[in-house]
Amino acid sequence: MSQALIVVDVQNDFCPGGALAVPGGDEVVAPVNAMMERFDTVILTQDWHPAGHYSFASAHPGKAPFETVEMPYGTQVLWPDHCVQGTEGAAFHKDLRTDGDLIIRKGFRAGIDSYSGFFENDRTTPTGLEGYLRSRGIMDLTLAGLATDFCVAFTALDAARLGFAVTVDLAACRAIDLEGSLQTALSQMKEAGVDLQS
Ligand code: VGL
Ligand code: ZN
């Protein structure tokens, strides 16, 4: 069975010094680069927001980062401005290998966030990644990157729901861990049949 590696959001803004720095975010670069050697299909995702994106606290007067708002598609955590299209913060970490087969950009619609590489946060608007994988006969996925409890977990849960076999390599992931979000994400992934490797 064909396998693919999906490298989630290894971008400057999620690394130390970035706008939404994930603790130890840059530590995934070396293991992810090494994993790329083992897969003949490598896909990278890139968080890619327009300025003023609705997931930014700055777009909601009176709200601070990490507070939440209700959106038509459910509760949305508000983030510091991050991964704005074309900025250095949205670029991949300089040491990350980016010679993969496909780069999926997500979160580019102003009114809706997209943690998962498969669907926007309404869980129904597709990015096209499912079709790409199916048309190439790839049903076995390994995930790594940032952040374990948001974009990696949402991607893993959608992939499992779509019937892909999913492994998350936790040694090549780092978490934001907002109020227990890491523990919740790990249990949800386990429950969904995701193979959590550490
Ligand atoms: C992410 C929060 C906002 C992620 C992206 O890559 O996990 N988290 N945008
Ligand atoms: Zn984002």
Side-chain angles (χ1 to χ4, degrees), residues 96-113:
L96 181 73
R97 277 184 55 184
T98 54
D99 53 341
D101 300 61
L102 175 73
I103 297 173
I104 282 274
R105 287 175 166 167
K106 59 186 182 64
F108 49 72
R109 291 190 180 88
I112 183 167
D113 207 0

Side-chain angles (χ1 to χ4, degrees), residues 22-107:
V22 178
D26 56 339
E27 294 166 11
V28 308
V29 173
V32 162
N33 284 344
M35 287 167 79
M36 287 181 182
E37 305 283 344
R38 299 194 277 113
F39 290 84
D40 44 39
T41 301
V42 174
I43 296 160
L44 299 101
T45 69
Q46 189 172 27
D47 212 37
W48 194 250
H49 300 307
H53 192 260
Y54 266 44
S55 75
F56 297 169
S58 61
H60 301 264
K63 289 284 186 180
F66 311 109
E67 291 182 3
T68 58
V69 289
E70 293 309 315
M71 298 284 216
Y73 53 83
T75 302
Q76 169 73 49
V77 178
L78 296 175
W79 305 107
D81 291 21
H82 66 279
C83 296
V84 174
Q85 297 173 2
T87 63
E88 192 51 30
F92 291 114
H93 187 284
K94 65 171 176 29
D95 297 327
L96 181 73
R97 277 184 55 184
T98 54
D99 53 341
D101 300 61
L102 175 73
I103 297 173
I104 282 274
R105 287 175 166 167
K106 59 186 182 64

Side-chain angles (χ1 to χ4, degrees), residues 9 14 20 47 49 79 82 106 113 115 146-147 150-151 176:
D9 297 5
F14 299 124
L20 179 41
D47 212 37
H49 300 307
W79 305 107
H82 66 279
K106 59 186 182 64
D113 207 0
Y115 295 150
L146 307 171
F150 288 91
C151 291
I176 297 175

Side-chain angles (χ1 to χ4, degrees), residues 66-185:
F66 311 109
E67 291 182 3
T68 58
V69 289
E70 293 309 315
M71 298 284 216
Y73 53 83
T75 302
Q76 169 73 49
V77 178
L78 296 175
W79 305 107
D81 291 21
H82 66 279
C83 296
V84 174
Q85 297 173 2
T87 63
E88 192 51 30
F92 291 114
H93 187 284
K94 65 171 176 29
D95 297 327
L96 181 73
R97 277 184 55 184
T98 54
D99 53 341
D101 300 61
L102 175 73
I103 297 173
I104 282 274
R105 287 175 166 167
K106 59 186 182 64
F108 49 72
R109 291 190 180 88
I112 183 167
D113 207 0
S114 186
Y115 295 150
S116 165
F118 289 94
F119 296 102
E120 311 220 18
N121 282 9
D122 60 6
R123 311 311 281 266
T124 56
T125 307
T127 62
L129 179 56
E130 178 190 4
Y132 176 89
L133 293 168
R134 287 199 198 282
S135 66
R136 293 193 55 182
I138 299 167
M139 285 306 293
D140 192 328
L141 308 177
T142 297
L143 273 55
L146 307 171
T148 320
D149 41 348
F150 288 91
C151 291
V152 173
F154 273 60
T155 303
L157 291 170
D158 281 345
R161 180 162 61 89
L162 293 169
F164 293 90
V166 190
T167 299
V168 172
D169 189 328
L170 291 172
C173 295
R174 291 293 182 276
I176 297 175
D177 204 9
L178 207 61
E179 294 170 7
S181 58
L182 176 58
Q183 215 38 61
T184 304

